[in-house]
Amino acid sequence: LLLNCTNRVNAYRIFPYIHQTNNTYSPRGHLTPVSFPDVDPSQISKAHLSMVAGDFQEIYENQEKKWNCIATCFFIDTANNIIEYIRLISKLLKVGGYW
């Protein structure tokens, strides 16, 4: 939804603190909205971003030294064998790439 159907900055608002009753200065803090996204996703070049569903190892196994950066914060725990993921990430990154 966010990447494919949003065409403007701050298109959505949520109230993430509405159910948090501690660590606030006042009751108004509970009603503080957060708007997102901070950039227009339709303006991001799709050639520089890859986000797909499926098996990480099967999808990316033939893309050696193709990526400048790989972010794994939301799927790294899906690995049956973390060492295989690490080896694949190493193969995917260009020299000087970031993980």
Side-chain angles (χ1 to χ4, degrees):
L1 174 67
L2 208 66
L3 287 176
N4 298 326
C5 299
T6 303
N7 59 5
R8 64 185 170 92
V9 173
N10 296 325
Y12 307 102
R13 279 182 17 165
I14 61 171
F15 295 83
Y17 313 109
I18 195 106
H19 296 293
Q20 183 178 346
T21 58
N22 55 359
N23 299 322
T24 58
Y25 291 112
S26 72
R28 297 198 83 170
H30 301 288
L31 301 175
T32 303
V34 174
S35 298
F36 65 97
D38 60 345
V39 296
D40 182 352
S42 67
Q43 299 302 312
I44 297 173
S45 171
K46 302 296 188 241
H48 301 294
L49 175 67
S50 175
M51 187 170 140
V52 296
D55 184 88
F56 173 66
Q57 291 173 285
E58 289 178 13
I59 293 169
Y60 293 101
E61 67 185 345
N62 297 319
Q63 298 186 23
E64 191 168 329
K65 305 291 182 214
K66 182 177 178 184
W67 298 94
N68 292 313
C69 181
I70 298 175
T72 59
C73 55
F74 296 111
F75 83 92
I76 196 72
D77 59 334
T78 66
N80 290 326
N81 183 338
I82 191 70
I83 301 302
E84 289 178 15
Y85 268 32
I86 293 169
R87 284 185 184 137
L88 179 57
I89 290 167
S90 177
K91 283 175 43 177
L92 296 173
L93 286 171
K94 293 179 180 179
V95 174
Y98 293 97
W99 175 23

